[in-house]
Amino acid sequence: MAFGILEPKESPCAHVPGTVLLDVSETSDERNIELVAAGLKKGSGRNSEVILVPQPSSNPNDPLNWPLWQRDMILVIYCFCTLACVGGGGPVLSSMAIPLITEFRLTFQQVSLLSGYQLCAVGAIGLLISACARKYGRRPTLLFSISSCFAGSLWMGFAQSYRSMVGARVVQGLGIAMFESVTYSIVGDLYHVHQRGTRMTFYIMCQSGIGQLPALIAGKVTTDLGWRWVFYLLSIFIGMGVVFTFLFAWETLYYRNNAYNLDTASHDKLEEIAGKTETNEVERLERTTTVSTAGQRPRESFLHRLLPFHGSFTEEPLWQLIIHPFYVLLNPVIIWVVLIVAFTTVWIILIAFVIAQAFYGPPYFLTIAQQGYMLAGPLVGGFLGCILCGLICDPVARYLTRKNNGVYEPEFRLPMMALVPVFSTIGYFLFGNLIQQGQTPVAASVMFGVVFVSVQLVAVSTGAYVVDAFRDISVEVFIISMTVKNFIWFGFTYFLNDWYAAAGPAKMFNTIGGIQLGLSLTTIPIYIYGKRLRSWWHVHDVLRKK
């Protein structure tokens, strides 16, 4: 038992998938000799004692063999597109609610439904996006997604009626789906286990940490230039994302020999890695498309990398891949991840959409620009939260790994969750009560920022945990999590403004704070029984080919 993590009582596995020998600085000399004989590759510099998990193959087209600067460049492009599409395409309406209500004679609920319809589209298309990302690769789905966001944003800027705006938001939603789900798995595609925590933190920072930046700027732009210019400018930035994506966001999906996937294997395969398996078996398994190629392949040329389509990556039919995300809900750990991520995200979206209702009237009477500035709190809080995650995510996991004789458990990503109830309860309870008492909106904005710290902790901790514990089904996990979250939020749009008006801010956010506290405490049994559940899932996984 490692730091309270219970071992499986009985398991047919030599070791549980996700559990790997990561750090050899504390291992025995005999084990080190065995690892050296197997030819396992290690990191360099300060990571010279860290085994690379997964092991890179001998194919130069394996993303794990690409220069680190190229992998980081691709991640930065994904993060830029995520910030523009998720941060810009989603919450910007919270800063222009009053002009839309005035120009089109709408209610607060109708403005909220503009985002509700968008998120409904995100949830509906998500399953297809997931299936296409698994079957046809990340690049074609990325090109479709960024193009849809560009078209929807441009349409929104020229919309002349409420129905037209609904159509534009739906088109935006078709593109946002990938950036709220599949992009998480890009970290697993491009990086080894010991590199993922920091990169996951950076991605989360762009997705939600500073995701309020476009909405904050939108308030000022709406005041000075009009609300349509928000979408004109957004279209320019997303258009830049289209260009970057086409030129440099190359295909990252790669199926290497399973012997190299030390994190998803249930038995040691050191002999296979050492080259003691049959040559034809290695050639059969090590491929980037469904068509096998023998011998050493050169690195694809730059022009070849620009192709939007690189063939099919799996022989499974598309319809089976579409229903796969529902099967992962048979896993209790995945149910936990889906619920805690979904509600944590829904609450902060809810806050953004009651800001206009809370601060437009008495006793605040904030202008449109001032309502946008209310999002400065979550912007700063999200940024600081991501810095906090970056400082503790990988270091804590590495420390616990060394204390565990070099053996890494994915549950080592979960200790960060201990901070979630601290930040979330303080933030939600004080946010509602400060508004109820008519206190300065600056204090309410600060509490919104405190809540955002907890959001980053949840996102980074669960995201890194899923990628490390269930990398082979991580796309399905993130897709079903996004789908559930978006449909929950769509339901909330029908009553959240009425709930705020009837219950008042104090009672409403006290309720939310209590629910979030209860959800946070469920991390404890997941940490304790997580390894047993991973072992159980490996044996009973209906998706895994036997």
Side-chain angles (χ1 to χ4, degrees):
M1 182 172 70
F3 303 102
I5 300 173
L6 296 181
E7 297 288 336
K9 293 181 179 179
E10 296 181 2
S11 176
C13 310
H15 62 78
V16 179
T19 299
V20 292
L21 179 61
L22 185 63
D23 194 315
V24 297
S25 60
E26 302 294 333
T27 57
S28 65
D29 292 338
E30 293 79 4
R31 183 59 169 166
N32 280 328
I33 292 173
E34 182 184 359
L35 295 173
V36 171
L40 288 182
K41 298 177 183 178
K42 300 180 183 178
S44 58
R46 63 177 183 176
N47 296 315
S48 59
E49 298 300 320
V50 176
I51 296 175
L52 299 181
V53 180
Q55 287 280 289
S57 68
S58 59
N59 193 323
N61 293 306
D62 184 345
L64 294 179
N65 286 322
W66 298 350
L68 184 60
W69 70 267
Q70 290 186 5
R71 290 181 277 159
D72 286 340
M73 174 191 68
I74 294 173
L75 180 63
V76 168
I77 291 173
Y78 271 92
C79 289
F80 174 82
C81 294
T82 299
L83 176 60
C85 296
V86 177
V92 292
L93 285 189
S94 62
S95 299
M96 59 183 73
I98 301 304
L100 292 177
I101 290 172
T102 304
E103 180 173 341
F104 296 99
R105 299 181 180 179
L106 307 176
T107 64
F108 280 109
Q109 179 175 317
Q110 286 177 306
V111 175
S112 296
L113 280 171
L114 285 175
S115 291
Y117 292 130
Q118 182 197 67
L119 294 179
C120 188
V122 173
I125 195 71
L127 299 175
L128 180 60
I129 290 293
S130 167
C132 290
R134 284 286 300 273
K135 187 170 181 66
Y136 303 114
R138 321 298 194 210
R139 181 168 171 80
T141 51
L142 174 63
L143 291 172
F144 166 79
S145 298
I146 191 71
S147 299
S148 295
C149 287
F150 175 76
S153 299
L154 200 60
W155 181 359
M156 187 70 185
F158 289 97
Q160 298 295 326
S161 68
Y162 183 73
R163 289 185 176 182
S164 181
M165 287 192 293
V166 169
R169 297 291 280 177
V170 168
V171 172
Q172 280 183 318
L174 299 180
I176 290 175
M178 179 169 186
F179 300 106
E180 286 196 353
S181 53
V182 177
T183 309
Y184 283 93
S185 64
I186 300 299
V187 177
D189 291 345
L190 293 173
Y191 300 102
H192 304 285
V193 167
H194 72 281
Q195 299 172 323
R196 291 174 186 166
T198 303
R199 270 77 178 189
M200 183 67 74
T201 299
F202 180 71
Y203 167 67
I204 296 297
M205 180 180 70
C206 295
Q207 188 208 46
S208 61
I210 59 173
Q212 299 296 325
L213 179 61
L216 186 150
I217 299 174
K220 181 63 175 175
V221 173
T222 300
T223 300
D224 294 347
L225 301 175
W227 66 269
R228 295 183 185 277
W229 267 99
V230 173
F231 293 99
Y232 298 154
L233 294 173
L234 181 61
S235 299
I236 293 174
F237 282 100
I238 296 180
M240 293 169 58
V242 173
V243 175
F244 294 150
T245 296
F246 177 75
L247 292 177
F248 303 113
W250 310 316
E251 183 57 66
T252 63
L253 183 60
Y254 181 85
Y255 285 110
R256 62 186 62 83
N257 187 323
N258 287 331
Y260 294 108
N261 293 323
L262 305 180
D263 53 339
T264 59
S266 59
H267 293 82
D268 290 325
K269 297 186 177 182
L270 300 183
E271 291 186 355
E272 294 186 43
I273 297 175
K276 298 179 182 178
T277 51
E278 294 294 329
T279 302
N280 60 351
E281 179 68 8
V282 175
E283 290 177 353
R284 183 181 69 83
L285 288 172
E286 194 160 279
R287 62 182 184 264
T288 55
T289 68
T290 55
V291 179
S292 300
T293 56
Q296 179 65 47
R297 297 181 59 183
R299 177 79 187 273
E300 293 177 342
S301 67
F302 178 75
L303 291 179
H304 191 272
R305 290 175 232 164
L306 295 183
L307 294 176
F309 183 70
H310 287 74
S312 177
F313 288 81
T314 177
E315 296 176 357
E316 291 186 79
L318 192 64
W319 69 267
Q320 285 187 5
L321 294 173
I322 290 175
I323 64 175
H324 276 181
F326 294 105
Y327 281 116
V328 302
L329 291 176
L330 297 173
N331 187 330
V333 176
I334 304 308
I335 295 176
W336 171 76
V337 170
V338 167
L339 290 179
I340 196 166
V341 170
F343 280 101
T344 299
T345 308
V346 164
W347 302 143
I348 56 107
I349 299 175
L350 185 149
I351 292 179
F353 277 89
V354 299
I355 283 180
Q357 188 174 358
F359 295 99
Y360 180 69
Y364 297 106
F365 297 105
L366 297 187
T367 64
I368 296 170
Q370 289 172 330
Q371 291 174 36
Y373 297 151
M374 285 292 297
L375 299 176
L379 177 65
V380 175
F383 181 73
L384 295 178
C386 286
I387 292 178
L388 175 63
C389 292
L391 291 175
I392 65 179
C393 187
D394 279 340
V396 168
R398 286 284 301 276
Y399 172 80
L400 294 176
T401 298
R402 285 175 177 162
K403 292 298 182 181
N404 194 35
N405 298 317
V407 177
Y408 169 77
E409 304 284 1
E411 286 73 26
F412 292 164
R413 298 292 189 183
L414 297 181
M416 286 198 306
M417 292 290 291
L419 298 174
V420 173
V422 177
F423 288 100
S424 62
T425 51
I426 291 175
Y428 285 121
F429 291 156
L430 288 181
F431 181 80
N433 283 276
L434 286 171
I435 297 176
Q436 186 80 40
Q437 298 169 14
Q439 300 295 327
T440 171
V442 175
S445 180
V446 170
M447 289 303 104
F448 194 0
V450 172
V451 167
F452 241 71
V453 174
S454 71
V455 174
Q456 311 317 306
L457 290 166
V458 170
V460 173
S461 185
T462 58
Y465 178 57
V466 167
V467 170
D468 290 350
F470 306 101
R471 182 169 61 87
D472 52 339
I473 59 169
S474 61
V475 172
E476 287 87 351
V477 174
F478 294 126
I479 279 290
I480 198 65
S481 177
M482 177 206 68
T483 300
V484 171
K485 179 261 293 184
N486 286 338
F487 280 115
I488 289 175
W489 166 245
F490 181 65
F492 268 77
T493 57
Y494 282 97
F495 66 85
L496 75 91
N497 296 107
D498 293 337
W499 180 19
Y500 181 90
K507 187 174 181 179
M508 180 180 185
F509 287 102
N510 286 345
T511 301
I512 291 173
I515 295 173
Q516 187 62 34
L517 176 60
L519 287 172
S520 301
L521 295 178
T522 59
T523 306
I524 298 174
I526 294 297
Y527 176 83
I528 295 173
Y529 295 100
K531 188 170 184 177
R532 289 186 177 180
L533 291 171
R534 283 189 283 124
S535 177
W536 172 85
W537 177 253
H538 179 76
V539 176
H540 299 89
D541 183 3
V542 296
L543 300 181
R544 183 171 56 89
K545 292 184 178 180
K546 307 300 181 182

